[in-house]
Amino acid sequence: MQHDFTGNSPVFLLCEGQPSTFEKAPSLNFVETLPTEMSVKIFGELDMPSLCQASQTCRQWRDIIEDSEQLWRQQCLLVRAVCQREVDKDRRDGMSWKVTLVRNYTRSCVKNDWLRGRYSHVRSADELRDRIMVPLDVESWGEILQAELDR
């Protein structure tokens, strides 16, 4: 089988005369072209794990994400839905939204798993060995036990 390299192939004809967008388009990301406030709004649509991954994309993204109290506050309020006492205490103690979120994110995930019944059928501590666990306060354990009784 011979290939036609003379310019008569269908692919060549489709592409002929079309400027290549890859060659002429500058390499810009939305952070470089949008105002910071708009970038923060876009990042605000991400969940916590995705936001952490985005902050590792490039220095510009990291700087915007790290410096935005609005992003950290928004994420922290989601955590507060599960760990209200802990978040409110940290904020009263003068901690930033970011520090408050870092301190309470894992706790909220663990507590939420318990409340949803993820560990309802655990027969021994060995079954929890590969799970991340954090200490919970007495009130949280009371909520978890009540949820188990309600099931």
Side-chain angles (χ1 to χ4, degrees):
M1 175 176 194
Q2 275 189 331
H3 295 284
D4 182 9
F5 294 108
T6 62
N8 296 327
S9 72
V11 174
F12 183 80
L13 292 173
L14 284 174
C15 296
E16 188 176 36
Q18 299 291 326
S20 171
T21 56
F22 295 111
E23 294 172 10
K24 303 199 181 201
S27 71
L28 296 175
N29 64 52
F30 69 90
V31 169
E32 294 172 330
T33 58
L34 294 175
T36 303
E37 298 80 20
M38 291 300 294
S39 297
V40 168
K41 279 195 168 288
I42 291 169
F43 287 132
E45 296 298 317
L46 300 176
D47 62 4
M48 190 69 233
S50 300
L51 192 60
C52 291
Q53 287 179 333
S55 72
Q56 297 173 6
T57 301
C58 68
R59 184 170 286 142
Q60 286 178 309
W61 288 28
R62 184 196 68 213
D63 292 345
I64 289 174
I65 292 169
E66 292 288 321
D67 295 340
S68 175
E69 277 292 298
Q70 179 182 346
L71 285 175
W72 295 110
R73 180 182 183 275
Q74 181 179 340
Q75 293 295 324
C76 202
L77 291 177
L78 295 173
V79 167
R80 186 180 180 272
V82 179
C83 294
Q84 180 176 352
R85 287 179 304 279
E86 295 89 342
V87 169
D88 290 348
K89 181 186 178 311
D90 286 351
R91 292 295 297 155
R92 275 193 310 273
D93 291 345
M95 293 183 191
S96 70
W97 286 109
K98 181 180 176 184
V99 170
T100 301
L101 179 62
V102 168
R103 286 174 47 95
N104 292 292
Y105 179 74
T106 303
R107 178 180 289 121
S108 74
C109 291
V110 170
K111 183 177 175 182
N112 210 16
D113 284 346
W114 279 99
L115 289 172
R116 288 183 179 158
R118 182 173 184 186
Y119 306 117
S120 292
H121 303 290
V122 172
R123 291 178 296 263
S124 73
D126 291 335
E127 293 180 38
L128 299 175
R129 199 164 290 216
D130 295 332
R131 307 274 189 207
I132 294 174
M133 291 292 159
V134 295
L136 298 173
D137 60 12
V138 173
E139 289 87 4
S140 293
W141 281 114
E143 292 174 46
I144 292 166
L145 291 173
Q146 186 60 52
E148 286 296 319
L149 291 172
D150 292 343
R151 279 191 250 293

